[in-house]
Coordinates of all heavy atoms in Angstrom, one line a residue:
M1 N 0.8 -1.2 0.0 CA 0.0 0.0 0.0 C 0.9 1.3 0.0 O 1.9 1.3 0.7 CB -0.9 0.0 1.2 CG -1.9 1.1 1.2 SD -3.1 0.7 2.5 CE -3.7 2.3 2.8
V2 N 0.4 2.3 -0.7 CA 1.2 3.5 -0.9 C 1.0 4.4 0.3 O -0.2 4.6 0.7 CB 0.9 4.2 -2.2 CG1 1.7 5.5 -2.3 CG2 1.2 3.3 -3.4
Q3 N 2.0 4.9 0.9 CA 1.9 5.8 2.0 C 2.1 7.2 1.5 O 3.0 7.5 0.8 CB 2.9 5.5 3.1 CG 2.8 4.2 3.8 CD 1.6 4.2 4.8 OE1 1.3 5.3 5.4 NE2 0.9 3.1 4.9
L4 N 1.1 8.1 1.8 CA 1.2 9.5 1.4 C 1.7 10.3 2.6 O 1.3 10.1 3.7 CB -0.1 10.0 0.9 CG -0.7 9.3 -0.3 CD1 -2.1 9.9 -0.6 CD2 0.2 9.5 -1.5
T5 N 2.5 11.3 2.3 CA 2.9 12.2 3.3 C 1.7 13.2 3.7 O 0.8 13.3 2.9 CB 4.1 13.1 2.8 OG1 3.7 13.9 1.8 CG2 5.3 12.2 2.4
P6 N 1.8 13.8 4.8 CA 0.7 14.8 5.1 C 0.5 15.8 4.1 O -0.6 16.2 3.7 CB 1.2 15.4 6.5 CG 2.0 14.3 7.1 CD 2.7 13.6 5.9
D7 N 1.6 16.3 3.5 CA 1.5 17.3 2.4 C 0.8 16.8 1.2 O 0.0 17.5 0.5 CB 2.9 17.9 2.0 CG 3.5 18.8 3.1 OD1 2.7 19.3 4.0 OD2 4.7 18.9 3.1
Q8 N 1.1 15.5 0.8 CA 0.4 14.9 -0.3 C -1.0 14.7 0.0 O -1.9 14.9 -0.9 CB 1.1 13.6 -0.6 CG 2.5 13.7 -1.2 CD 3.2 12.4 -1.3 OE1 3.0 11.5 -0.5 NE2 4.1 12.3 -2.3
L9 N -1.4 14.3 1.2 CA -2.8 14.1 1.5 C -3.5 15.5 1.4 O -4.7 15.5 0.9 CB -2.9 13.6 3.0 CG -2.6 12.1 3.2 CD1 -2.6 11.7 4.6 CD2 -3.6 11.3 2.4
V10 N -2.9 16.5 1.9 CA -3.6 17.8 1.8 C -3.7 18.2 0.3 O -4.8 18.7 -0.1 CB -2.7 18.9 2.6 CG1 -3.2 20.3 2.3 CG2 -2.8 18.6 4.1
A11 N -2.7 18.0 -0.5 CA -2.8 18.3 -1.9 C -3.9 17.5 -2.6 O -4.7 18.0 -3.4 CB -1.5 18.1 -2.6
E12 N -4.0 16.2 -2.3 CA -5.1 15.4 -2.8 C -6.5 15.9 -2.4 O -7.4 15.9 -3.2 CB -4.9 13.9 -2.4 CG -3.7 13.2 -3.0 CD -4.0 13.0 -4.5 OE1 -5.1 12.7 -4.9 OE2 -3.0 13.1 -5.3
F13 N -6.6 16.3 -1.1 CA -7.8 16.8 -0.6 C -8.2 18.1 -1.4 O -9.4 18.3 -1.8 CB -7.8 17.0 0.9 CG -9.0 17.6 1.5 CD1 -10.1 16.8 1.6 CD2 -9.1 18.9 1.8 CE1 -11.3 17.3 2.2 CE2 -10.2 19.5 2.3 CZ -11.3 18.7 2.5
Q14 N -7.2 19.0 -1.5 CA -7.5 20.2 -2.2 C -7.9 20.0 -3.7 O -8.8 20.7 -4.2 CB -6.3 21.1 -2.2 CG -6.0 21.7 -0.8 CD -4.7 22.5 -0.7 OE1 -3.8 22.3 -1.5 NE2 -4.6 23.3 0.3
D15 N -7.3 19.1 -4.4 CA -7.7 18.7 -5.7 C -9.1 18.2 -5.8 O -9.9 18.6 -6.7 CB -6.7 17.6 -6.3 CG -5.4 18.2 -6.6 OD1 -5.2 19.4 -6.7 OD2 -4.4 17.4 -6.8
A16 N -9.5 17.4 -4.8 CA -10.8 16.8 -4.7 C -11.8 17.9 -4.5 O -12.9 17.9 -5.1 CB -10.9 15.8 -3.7
V17 N -11.5 18.9 -3.7 CA -12.4 20.0 -3.4 C -12.6 20.9 -4.7 O -13.7 21.3 -5.0 CB -11.9 20.9 -2.2 CG1 -12.6 22.2 -2.1 CG2 -12.0 20.1 -0.9
V18 N -11.5 21.1 -5.4 CA -11.6 21.9 -6.6 C -12.5 21.2 -7.7 O -13.3 21.7 -8.3 CB -10.2 22.2 -7.2 CG1 -10.3 22.8 -8.6 CG2 -9.5 23.2 -6.2
E19 N -12.3 19.9 -7.8 CA -13.1 19.1 -8.7 C -14.5 19.1 -8.3 O -15.4 19.2 -9.2 CB -12.5 17.6 -8.8 CG -11.2 17.5 -9.5 CD -10.7 16.0 -9.5 OE1 -11.6 15.1 -9.5 OE2 -9.5 15.8 -9.6
L20 N -14.8 19.0 -7.1 CA -16.2 19.0 -6.6 C -16.8 20.4 -6.9 O -18.0 20.4 -7.3 CB -16.2 18.7 -5.1 CG -17.6 18.7 -4.4 CD1 -18.5 17.6 -5.1 CD2 -17.5 18.4 -2.9
Y21 N -16.1 21.4 -6.7 CA -16.6 22.8 -7.0 C -17.0 22.9 -8.4 O -18.1 23.4 -8.7 CB -15.5 23.8 -6.7 CG -15.8 25.2 -7.2 CD1 -16.7 26.0 -6.5 CD2 -15.3 25.7 -8.4 CE1 -17.0 27.3 -7.0 CE2 -15.6 26.9 -8.8 CZ -16.5 27.7 -8.1 OH -16.8 29.0 -8.6
F22 N -16.1 22.5 -9.3 CA -16.5 22.6 -10.8 C -17.6 21.6 -11.2 O -18.4 21.9 -12.0 CB -15.2 22.4 -11.6 CG -14.3 23.6 -11.6 CD1 -13.1 23.6 -11.0 CD2 -14.7 24.8 -12.2 CE1 -12.3 24.7 -10.9 CE2 -13.9 25.9 -12.1 CZ -12.7 25.9 -11.5
A23 N -17.6 20.5 -10.6 CA -18.7 19.5 -10.9 C -20.0 20.1 -10.4 O -21.0 20.0 -11.2 CB -18.4 18.2 -10.1
R24 N -20.1 20.7 -9.3 CA -21.3 21.3 -8.8 C -21.7 22.5 -9.7 O -22.9 22.7 -10.0 CB -21.2 21.8 -7.4 CG -21.2 20.7 -6.4 CD -21.2 21.2 -5.0 NE -21.3 20.1 -4.0 CZ -21.2 20.2 -2.7 NH1 -20.9 21.4 -2.2 NH2 -21.3 19.2 -1.9
K25 N -20.8 23.3 -10.1 CA -21.0 24.4 -11.0 C -21.6 23.9 -12.4 O -22.6 24.4 -12.9 CB -19.7 25.2 -11.3 CG -19.9 26.5 -11.8 CD -18.6 27.3 -11.8 CE -18.8 28.7 -12.3 NZ -17.6 29.5 -12.2
R26 N -21.0 22.8 -12.9 CA -21.5 22.2 -14.1 C -22.9 21.7 -14.0 O -23.8 21.8 -14.8 CB -20.6 21.1 -14.6 CG -21.0 20.4 -15.9 CD -20.8 21.3 -17.1 NE -21.1 20.6 -18.3 CZ -21.8 21.1 -19.2 NH1 -22.2 22.3 -19.2 NH2 -22.1 20.4 -20.3
I27 N -23.2 21.0 -12.8 CA -24.5 20.5 -12.5 C -25.5 21.6 -12.5 O -26.6 21.5 -13.1 CB -24.5 19.7 -11.2 CG1 -23.8 18.4 -11.4 CG2 -25.9 19.4 -10.7 CD1 -23.4 17.6 -10.1
A28 N -25.2 22.7 -11.8 CA -26.1 23.9 -11.8 C -26.4 24.4 -13.2 O -27.6 24.7 -13.5 CB -25.5 25.0 -10.9
N29 N -25.4 24.5 -14.0 CA -25.6 24.9 -15.4 C -26.5 24.0 -16.2 O -27.4 24.4 -17.0 CB -24.3 25.1 -16.1 CG -23.5 26.3 -15.6 OD1 -24.1 27.2 -15.1 ND2 -22.2 26.3 -15.8
L30 N -26.3 22.7 -16.0 CA -27.1 21.7 -16.7 C -28.5 21.7 -16.2 O -29.5 21.6 -17.0 CB -26.5 20.3 -16.6 CG -25.2 20.1 -17.3 CD1 -24.6 18.7 -16.9 CD2 -25.4 20.1 -18.8
E31 N -28.7 21.9 -15.0 CA -30.1 22.0 -14.4 C -30.8 23.2 -15.0 O -32.0 23.1 -15.3 CB -30.1 22.0 -12.9 CG -29.8 20.7 -12.3 CD -29.6 20.7 -10.8 OE1 -29.4 21.9 -10.2 OE2 -29.6 19.7 -10.1
A32 N -30.1 24.3 -15.1 CA -30.7 25.5 -15.7 C -31.1 25.3 -17.1 O -32.1 25.7 -17.6 CB -29.8 26.7 -15.5
E33 N -30.2 24.7 -17.9 CA -30.4 24.4 -19.3 C -31.6 23.4 -19.4 O -32.4 23.6 -20.3 CB -29.2 23.8 -19.9 CG -29.3 23.5 -21.4 CD -28.0 22.9 -22.0 OE1 -27.0 22.9 -21.3 OE2 -28.1 22.5 -23.2
N34 N -31.7 22.5 -18.6 CA -32.8 21.5 -18.6 C -34.1 22.2 -18.3 O -35.1 21.9 -19.0 CB -32.5 20.4 -17.6 CG -33.4 19.2 -17.7 OD1 -33.9 18.9 -18.8 ND2 -33.7 18.6 -16.6
A35 N -34.1 23.1 -17.4 CA -35.4 23.8 -17.1 C -35.8 24.7 -18.2 O -37.0 24.7 -18.6 CB -35.2 24.7 -15.8
D36 N -34.8 25.3 -18.9 CA -35.1 26.1 -20.1 C -35.7 25.3 -21.2 O -36.7 25.6 -21.8 CB -33.9 26.8 -20.6 CG -34.1 27.7 -21.8 OD1 -35.1 28.5 -21.7 OD2 -33.4 27.6 -22.8
L37 N -35.1 24.1 -21.4 CA -35.6 23.2 -22.5 C -37.0 22.7 -22.2 O -37.8 22.6 -23.1 CB -34.6 22.1 -22.7 CG -33.3 22.5 -23.3 CD1 -32.3 21.3 -23.3 CD2 -33.5 23.0 -24.7
K38 N -37.2 22.4 -20.9 CA -38.6 21.9 -20.5 C -39.6 23.0 -20.7 O -40.7 22.7 -21.2 CB -38.6 21.5 -19.1 CG -38.0 20.1 -18.8 CD -38.1 19.7 -17.4 CE -37.5 18.4 -17.1 NZ -37.6 18.0 -15.7
A39 N -39.2 24.2 -20.4 CA -40.2 25.4 -20.6 C -40.4 25.6 -22.1 O -41.6 25.8 -22.5 CB -39.6 26.6 -20.0
R40 N -39.4 25.4 -23.0 CA -39.6 25.6 -24.4 C -40.5 24.5 -24.9 O -41.4 24.7 -25.8 CB -38.3 25.5 -25.1 CG -37.4 26.7 -24.9 CD -36.1 26.4 -25.5 NE -35.6 27.5 -26.3 CZ -34.5 27.4 -27.1 NH1 -33.8 26.3 -27.0 NH2 -34.1 28.4 -27.8
L41 N -40.4 23.2 -24.4 CA -41.2 22.1 -24.9 C -42.7 22.3 -24.4 O -43.6 21.9 -25.1 CB -40.7 20.8 -24.4 CG -39.4 20.3 -25.1 CD1 -38.9 19.0 -24.4 CD2 -39.7 20.0 -26.5
A42 N -42.8 22.9 -23.3 CA -44.2 23.1 -22.7 C -44.9 24.2 -23.4 O -46.1 24.3 -23.3 CB -44.1 23.3 -21.2
A43 N -44.2 25.2 -24.0 CA -44.8 26.3 -24.6 C -45.6 25.9 -25.8 O -45.2 25.0 -26.6 CB -43.7 27.3 -25.0
P44 N -46.8 26.5 -26.0 CA -47.6 26.2 -27.2 C -46.8 26.6 -28.5 O -46.2 27.6 -28.5 CB -48.8 27.0 -27.0 CG -48.5 28.1 -26.1 CD -47.4 27.6 -25.2
T45 N -47.0 25.8 -29.5 CA -46.3 26.0 -30.8 C -47.3 26.3 -31.8 O -48.5 25.8 -31.8 CB -45.4 24.8 -31.2 OG1 -46.2 23.7 -31.3 CG2 -44.3 24.6 -30.2
V46 N -46.9 27.0 -32.8 CA -47.8 27.3 -34.0 C -47.4 26.4 -35.1 O -46.2 26.3 -35.4 CB -47.6 28.8 -34.4 CG1 -48.5 29.1 -35.6 CG2 -47.9 29.7 -33.3
P47 N -48.4 25.7 -35.7 CA -48.0 24.8 -36.8 C -47.3 25.6 -38.0 O -47.6 26.7 -38.2 CB -49.3 24.3 -37.3 CG -50.3 24.6 -36.3 CD -49.8 25.7 -35.5
P48 N -46.3 25.0 -38.6 CA -45.5 25.7 -39.7 C -46.4 26.3 -40.8 O -46.1 27.3 -41.2 CB -44.6 24.6 -40.2 CG -44.6 23.5 -39.2 CD -45.9 23.6 -38.4
Q49 N -47.5 25.6 -41.2 CA -48.3 26.1 -42.3 C -49.0 27.4 -41.9 O -49.4 28.2 -42.7 CB -49.2 25.1 -42.9 CG -50.3 24.6 -41.9 CD -49.8 23.4 -41.2 OE1 -48.6 23.2 -40.9 NE2 -50.7 22.5 -40.7
A50 N -49.2 27.6 -40.6 CA -50.0 28.8 -40.1 C -49.0 30.0 -39.9 O -49.5 31.1 -39.7 CB -50.7 28.4 -38.8
Q51 N -47.7 29.7 -39.9 CA -46.8 30.8 -39.7 C -46.6 31.6 -41.0 O -46.6 31.0 -42.1 CB -45.4 30.3 -39.2 CG -45.4 29.6 -37.9 CD -44.1 29.1 -37.5 OE1 -43.2 28.9 -38.4 NE2 -43.9 28.8 -36.3
E52 N -46.5 32.9 -40.9 CA -46.2 33.7 -42.0 C -44.8 34.2 -41.9 O -44.3 34.6 -40.9 CB -47.1 34.9 -42.0 CG -47.0 35.8 -43.3 CD -48.0 36.9 -43.3 OE1 -49.2 36.6 -43.5 OE2 -47.5 38.1 -43.2
L53 N -44.1 34.1 -43.0 CA -42.7 34.5 -43.0 C -42.6 36.0 -42.9 O -43.5 36.7 -43.4 CB -42.0 34.1 -44.3 CG -41.9 32.6 -44.5 CD1 -41.3 32.3 -45.9 CD2 -41.0 31.9 -43.4
P54 N -41.6 36.6 -42.2 CA -41.5 38.0 -42.1 C -41.4 38.6 -43.5 O -40.6 38.2 -44.4 CB -40.2 38.2 -41.3 CG -39.7 36.9 -40.9 CD -40.5 35.9 -41.6
G55 N -42.2 39.7 -43.7 CA -42.1 40.4 -45.0 C -42.9 39.7 -46.1 O -43.1 40.3 -47.2
E56 N -43.6 38.6 -45.8 CA -44.3 37.9 -46.8 C -45.5 38.7 -47.3 O -45.8 38.9 -48.5 CB -44.8 36.5 -46.3 CG -45.4 35.6 -47.4 CD -45.7 34.3 -46.8 OE1 -44.8 33.5 -46.7 OE2 -46.9 34.0 -46.5
A57 N -46.2 39.3 -46.3 CA -47.4 40.2 -46.7 C -46.9 41.4 -47.4 O -47.5 41.9 -48.4 CB -48.1 40.6 -45.4
A58 N -45.8 42.0 -47.0 CA -45.2 43.2 -47.7 C -44.9 42.9 -49.1 O -45.1 43.7 -50.0 CB -44.0 43.7 -46.9
L59 N -44.3 41.7 -49.3 CA -44.0 41.3 -50.7 C -45.2 41.2 -51.6 O -45.2 41.6 -52.7 CB -43.2 40.0 -50.7 CG -41.7 40.1 -50.2 CD1 -41.1 38.7 -50.2 CD2 -40.9 41.0 -51.1
A60 N -46.3 40.6 -51.0 CA -47.5 40.4 -51.8 C -48.1 41.8 -52.1 O -48.6 42.0 -53.2 CB -48.5 39.6 -51.0
Q61 N -48.0 42.8 -51.1 CA -48.6 44.1 -51.4 C -47.8 44.8 -52.4 O -48.3 45.5 -53.3 CB -48.6 44.9 -50.1 CG -49.7 44.4 -49.2 CD -49.7 45.1 -47.8 OE1 -48.8 45.9 -47.6 NE2 -50.6 44.8 -47.0
E62 N -46.4 44.7 -52.4 CA -45.6 45.4 -53.4 C -45.8 44.8 -54.8 O -45.9 45.6 -55.7 CB -44.1 45.2 -53.0 CG -43.7 46.0 -51.8 CD -42.2 45.7 -51.4 OE1 -41.5 45.1 -52.2 OE2 -41.8 46.0 -50.3
A63 N -46.0 43.5 -54.9 CA -46.2 42.9 -56.2 C -47.5 43.4 -56.8 O -47.6 43.6 -58.0 CB -46.1 41.4 -56.1
D64 N -48.5 43.5 -56.0 CA -49.9 43.9 -56.5 C -50.6 44.7 -55.4 O -51.4 44.2 -54.6 CB -50.7 42.6 -56.7 CG -52.0 42.8 -57.4 OD1 -52.2 44.0 -57.9 OD2 -52.8 41.9 -57.5
P65 N -50.2 46.0 -55.3 CA -50.7 46.9 -54.3 C -52.2 46.9 -54.1 O -52.7 46.9 -53.0 CB -50.2 48.3 -54.6 CG -49.3 48.1 -55.8 CD -49.5 46.7 -56.3
A66 N -53.0 46.9 -55.1 CA -54.4 46.9 -55.0 C -55.0 45.5 -55.0 O -56.2 45.3 -54.7 CB -55.0 47.7 -56.1
G67 N -54.2 44.5 -55.3 CA -54.8 43.2 -55.3 C -55.7 42.9 -56.5 O -56.5 42.0 -56.5
E68 N -55.6 43.8 -57.5 CA -56.5 43.7 -58.7 C -55.8 43.7 -60.0 O -56.3 44.1 -61.0 CB -57.4 45.0 -58.6 CG -58.2 45.1 -57.4 CD -59.0 46.4 -57.3 OE1 -58.8 47.2 -58.2 OE2 -59.8 46.5 -56.4
Q69 N -54.6 43.3 -60.0 CA -53.7 43.4 -61.2 C -54.4 42.6 -62.4 O -54.4 43.0 -63.5 CB -52.4 42.8 -60.9 CG -51.4 43.0 -62.0 CD -50.0 42.6 -61.6 OE1 -49.9 41.5 -61.1 NE2 -49.0 43.4 -61.7
W70 N -55.0 41.5 -62.1 CA -55.6 40.7 -63.2 C -57.0 41.2 -63.6 O -57.5 40.8 -64.6 CB -55.7 39.2 -62.8 CG -56.4 38.9 -61.6 CD1 -55.9 39.0 -60.3 CD2 -57.7 38.4 -61.5 NE1 -56.9 38.6 -59.4 CE2 -58.0 38.2 -60.1 CE3 -58.7 38.1 -62.4 CZ2 -59.2 37.8 -59.6 CZ3 -59.9 37.6 -61.9 CH2 -60.2 37.5 -60.6
F71 N -57.5 42.2 -62.9 CA -58.7 42.9 -63.3 C -58.5 44.1 -64.2 O -59.4 44.8 -64.6 CB -59.5 43.4 -62.0 CG -60.2 42.3 -61.2 CD1 -59.6 42.0 -60.0 CD2 -61.3 41.7 -61.7 CE1 -60.3 41.0 -59.2 CE2 -61.9 40.7 -60.9 CZ -61.4 40.3 -59.7
A72 N -57.3 44.3 -64.5 CA -56.9 45.6 -65.2 C -57.6 45.7 -66.6 O -57.5 46.7 -67.2 CB -55.4 45.7 -65.4
G73 N -58.2 44.7 -67.0 CA -59.0 44.8 -68.3 C -58.4 44.0 -69.4 O -57.2 43.8 -69.6
G74 N -59.3 43.3 -70.1 CA -59.0 42.6 -71.3 C -58.3 41.3 -70.9 O -57.8 41.1 -69.8
P75 N -58.3 40.3 -71.9 CA -57.6 39.1 -71.7 C -56.1 39.3 -71.6 O -55.5 40.2 -72.2 CB -58.0 38.2 -72.8 CG -58.5 39.2 -73.9 CD -58.9 40.4 -73.2
T76 N -55.4 38.4 -70.9 CA -54.0 38.5 -70.8 C -53.4 37.7 -72.0 O -54.1 36.9 -72.6 CB -53.5 37.8 -69.5 OG1 -53.9 36.5 -69.4 CG2 -53.9 38.6 -68.3
P77 N -52.2 38.0 -72.4 CA -51.6 37.4 -73.6 C -51.6 35.8 -73.4 O -51.3 35.4 -72.3 CB -50.2 37.9 -73.6 CG -50.2 39.2 -72.8 CD -51.3 39.0 -71.8
G78 N -52.1 35.2 -74.4 CA -52.1 33.7 -74.4 C -53.4 33.2 -73.8 O -53.6 32.0 -73.7
E79 N -54.3 34.1 -73.4 CA -55.6 33.7 -72.9 C -56.6 33.9 -73.9 O -56.7 34.9 -74.5 CB -55.9 34.5 -71.6 CG -57.1 34.1 -70.9 CD -57.4 34.9 -69.6 OE1 -57.8 36.0 -69.8 OE2 -57.1 34.4 -68.5
P80 N -57.5 32.9 -74.2 CA -58.5 33.0 -75.2 C -59.5 34.1 -74.9 O -59.9 34.2 -73.7 CB -59.1 31.6 -75.3 CG -58.8 30.9 -74.1 CD -57.5 31.6 -73.6
G81 N -60.0 34.8 -75.8 CA -61.0 35.9 -75.6 C -62.4 35.2 -75.3 O -62.6 34.1 -75.6
Q82 N -63.2 36.0 -74.7 CA -64.6 35.5 -74.3 C -65.6 36.1 -75.2 O -65.6 37.1 -75.6 CB -64.9 35.7 -72.9 CG -64.0 35.0 -72.0 CD -64.3 35.3 -70.5 OE1 -65.3 36.0 -70.2 NE2 -63.6 34.7 -69.6

């Protein structure tokens, strides 16, 4: 069996205390991250098809501000007359 000197025992104890400190710190960080993820999962979500992309409405308005472009009169090219 290996005999440690008192100084070696103290050094081993200090190393163990430092490791314990960082382990507890890491555990606290993981618990906080876990709580955040649980809260995100519990939050209601909007189905993807119901979501509107940012600027999507603005693009539609810019392309056809009045929403009546095809009412502008007469048949469009390639469309048979009535």
